[in-house]
Amino acid sequence: MRKTVFAFSALAFSTVAASSVLAQDAATSALIERGRSVAIASDCMACHRTPEGEGKPFAGGYTISSPLGPIVAPNITPSKEFGIGNWSEAQFEAAMRDGVAPRGHLYPAMPYTAYRAMSDDDLHALFVYLQKDVKPVDEAPKAQTDLPFPFNIRLSMAGWNLFFNRATPFDNALAAPAGTERGKYLVDGPAHCGACHTPRNTLMAEDASQYLGGGDVGGWHAPNITSDPVSGIGGWSDAELVTYLKNGNAVGKSQAAGPMAEAVEHSFRHMPDNDLQAIANYLKTVPAIRSEAQTAPAYEHSKAKSAGIGKLDYGIDRSPAAMVNGTSVDGEELYVSACATCHQLNGAGTQDQFYPSLTSNRATGGMTPNNLVMAVVEGVHRKTNDFTVQMPAFKDELSNAQIAAVSNYVLQRFGNASLSVSEADVVELKNGGEVPLLVKATPWLMLGGTVLAAFVLVLAAVFFWRRGKRNTLQHA
Ligand code: HEC
Ligand code: HEC
Ligand code: HEC
């Protein structure tokens, strides 16, 4: 009798234990799934990958060229020695929100100023996902971050953070998939749109007064995506915005190349439609910012201009001198030989717009030629859920002078004719765009700092010398 009771209770106990393990497993897998979707929306894999791209997710080594110099994304797999396998959740939260890792302050090349806004629930799920579902990679990235003095002093970020890392984390309820502020949450938090689309001030922090008003990322320009119908996306339908985020293309308006193509490929195209819809809805409410000089949207502007464009007076010469001897700086000749097979002689693109129109396009009709030049330099490469988009890079085929010439031809004929591109502009964009004032000024600030330090030292010396003298006098 005793035995049976014992056996029975043991059975009951193990059933209860087993079902609670099952319940725990279910809860953990739900957390892991949520963490995975947070990682996707936050695009962690775009940076924390190997330089080759495929194979070892989150192993790091990919180098980001920041204005301060190249910064390497670390291994964030659960490897105990080389990754974050030994980190506590509090350490992870400090890295994600405060930009402080066990090894010291992080540079804002890691977008912690945006991730700070993530909800507690999402950060927790992200931690569980990274620790439990990602395969540890037990090796350090080959490249190392090696910034010049004084930027190599990580502690200097502490002062910067005090002023510029100030976002308030979102409430769990507002950030939840059915939350009322979901679109704003995604834009400001995980998806960190402002990291590229908000211009930076002289101290390289996002300028809140120009929120989403258009910023520069390397040589590329991330356009104004405020609700303004002329300078922003106010004239886009919600469906166009959703399609753009999903496929990287809004026909007759814009395509995603460069860093936006990467964001679409790694992140946005994997997000659920209702999240993309929430983002579109929110963008339509962002206070409008208008560039004074702009009178019509980029795509309308150039469309109107190209209305009268007929055919060139000669057909496509498929072996023109331009490409054979590589010296022509005749923009028309270059366009006909290098571009017209796809974009057509009249710039209208192909009928299905797989090769897009250059006469109705943000990249040619906007207020900066940067993306036109960068598209010619680097080409366009983007995987979408349905197809792969490729425009060849011309950096090895065309000289800087030729890239300037063909860009000017495109601007004159199909785009914003008030813009022009010089050979020096091409060189600058290839090298990552205009150097921020802070970086340009640092040698001078340091020189100033040295002079100031010397001055203080002299003053101190005089002071102590006088005091010493007075003391000696008093003693005497
Ligand atoms: C735009 C590129 C970029 C994105 C996106 C990005 N990171 Fe980072 N991350 C970096 C860089 C670069 C560093 C190293 C910064 C440094 O050396 O100061 C870093 C550092 C870190 C660290 C500190 C690691 C250590 O060993 O000190 C953690 C943790 C981290 N990132 C997690 C994440 C997670 C999780 C995500 C997605 C939510 C993410 N990062 C998205 C670029 C990025
Ligand atoms: C890593 C930098 C980066 C991030 C992050 C980023 N963008 Fe972009 N975005 C760009 C660049 C660069 C372009 C220009 C692409 C081109 O024309 O080839 C662009 C273009 C766009 C355009 C097209 C605008 C136009 O008028 O042509 C939209 C819309 C857009 N982004 C929305 C977003 C939203 C919404 C987010 C966040 C959910 C986001 N982007 C995050 C860099 C970024
Ligand atoms: C082999 C075909 C092909 C050739 C040749 C080609 N392009 Fe493209 N171009 C494309 C494709 C494909 C896209 C991207 C379409 C998309 O994203 O949906 C594109 C996009 C562009 C864009 C938009 C870039 C952006 O960031 O929004 C510009 C500008 C452009 N091309 C200019 C040129 C110029 C100038 C030349 C000649 C030097 C040229 N293309 C040659 C196929 C081509």
Side-chain angles (χ1 to χ4, degrees):
M1 176 72 193
R2 267 196 136 173
K3 242 186 189 164
T4 25
V5 170
F6 178 75
F8 180 74
S9 53
L11 184 74
F13 177 76
S14 61
T15 322
V16 170
S19 63
S20 85
V21 166
L22 281 181
Q24 200 186 16
D25 278 359
T28 312
S29 7
L31 257 184
I32 288 176
E33 275 326 300
R34 175 154 184 183
R36 190 196 316 282
S37 64
V38 175
I40 287 172
S42 321
D43 212 6
C44 317
M45 44 293 270
C47 295
H48 289 279
R49 57 184 166 108
T50 55
E52 308 80 48
E54 313 293 324
K56 295 175 188 159
F58 304 107
Y62 174 72
T63 303
I64 294 150
S65 47
S66 87
L68 305 182
I71 300 181
V72 180
N75 179 334
I76 56 163
T77 71
S79 163
K80 294 209 184 299
E81 193 179 348
F82 300 99
I84 61 166
N86 270 334
W87 288 30
S88 68
E89 188 160 350
Q91 285 173 316
F92 179 70
E93 195 189 318
M96 300 300 293
R97 285 207 170 130
D98 305 333
V100 183
R103 60 158 148 174
H105 283 76
L106 298 172
Y107 299 108
M110 155 78 186
Y112 60 82
T113 50
Y115 295 154
R116 184 180 180 83
M118 280 201 216
S119 69
D120 291 345
D121 282 358
D122 275 357
L123 263 190
H124 174 61
L126 185 59
F127 182 70
V128 173
Y129 162 68
L130 288 172
Q131 295 289 9
K132 300 219 159 147
D133 200 64
V134 171
K135 241 174 84 193
V137 175
D138 290 313
E139 59 193 30
K142 283 182 199 76
Q144 294 286 318
T145 302
D146 183 18
L147 296 185
F149 180 80
F151 302 124
N152 59 348
I153 303 174
R154 288 184 173 269
L155 197 62
S156 59
M157 292 312 306
W160 190 89
N161 286 340
L162 216 55
F163 286 102
F164 301 122
N165 189 27
R166 303 181 65 108
T168 314
F170 270 71
D171 214 69
N172 288 325
L174 296 179
T180 47
E181 284 202 72
R182 177 78 177 164
K184 179 172 170 52
Y185 173 67
L186 290 166
V187 166
D188 291 347
H192 62 280
C193 314
C196 299
H197 286 277
T198 300
R200 295 187 182 256
N201 62 23
T202 44
L203 290 172
M204 288 161 63
E206 287 171 34
D207 177 353
S209 71
Q210 296 292 308
Y211 176 66
L212 301 181
D216 292 315
V217 211
W220 296 88
H221 181 70
N224 179 331
I225 52 168
T226 69
S227 63
D228 190 81
V230 170
S231 300
I233 47 78
W236 295 39
S237 68
D238 282 9
E240 281 174 322
L241 280 168
V242 170
T243 312
Y244 182 92
L245 292 171
K246 205 172 186 129
N247 295 326
N249 187 322
V251 172
K253 288 195 165 62
S254 189
Q255 326 58 51
M260 188 64 188
E262 289 188 27
V264 168
E265 181 169 333
H266 295 285
S267 174
F268 306 148
R269 74 176 164 126
H270 303 292
M271 283 168 72
D273 281 355
N274 46 354
D275 275 355
L276 299 180
Q277 185 62 48
I279 291 177
N281 291 348
Y282 171 64
L283 289 182
K284 291 289 184 64
T285 68
V286 171
I289 294 176
R290 169 89 46 101
S291 323
E292 260 171 43
Q294 194 170 0
T295 52
Y299 48 93
E300 288 294 334
H301 172 91
S302 41
K303 199 192 296 180
K305 190 176 158 289
S306 65
I309 290 180
K311 282 213 165 109
L312 287 180
D313 47 12
Y314 54 86
I316 298 181
D317 176 356
R318 295 193 191 263
S319 60
M323 299 302 277
V324 175
N325 63 29
T327 55
S328 171
V329 282
D330 180 329
E332 178 168 307
E333 208 170 12
L334 290 166
Y335 180 80
V336 170
S337 49
C339 322
T341 25
C342 296
H343 295 288
Q344 307 298 304
L345 283 176
N346 62 4
T350 48
Q351 196 127 39
D352 60 3
Q353 290 294 300
F354 186 77
Y355 297 122
S357 159
L358 298 179
T359 62
S360 181
N361 198 315
R362 176 71 170 245
T364 55
M367 302 303 285
T368 140
N370 295 18
N371 293 349
L372 161 64
V373 173
M374 288 304 285
V376 176
V377 170
E378 292 188 357
V380 182
H381 316 279
R382 196 178 68 240
K383 264 194 209 122
T384 73
N385 292 335
D386 306 323
F387 47 86
T388 298
V389 173
Q390 291 284 1
M391 161 169 155
F394 287 93
K395 58 174 177 271
D396 299 328
E397 269 75 42
L398 300 177
S399 68
N400 294 333
Q402 288 176 317
I403 293 172
V406 76
S407 302
N408 284 327
Y409 175 78
V410 168
L411 290 168
Q412 284 301 320
R413 240 181 105 78
F414 310 128
N416 181 351
S418 69
L419 300 176
S420 70
V421 177
S422 70
E423 203 180 328
D425 293 337
V426 176
V427 174
E428 185 176 83
L429 292 174
K430 273 185 172 174
N431 290 332
E434 206 184 331
V435 178
L437 194 64
L438 177 69
V439 178
K440 265 196 272 190
T442 297
W444 300 104
L445 290 176
M446 276 163 57
L447 194 65
T450 324
V451 172
L452 192 73
F455 185 66
V456 171
L457 274 179
V458 170
L459 267 184
V462 169
F463 177 75
F464 285 115
W465 180 72
R466 285 236 185 111
R467 256 174 73 154
K469 215 163 147 188
R470 212 167 40 223
N471 285 348
T472 359
L473 283 177
Q474 272 165 7
H475 283 288

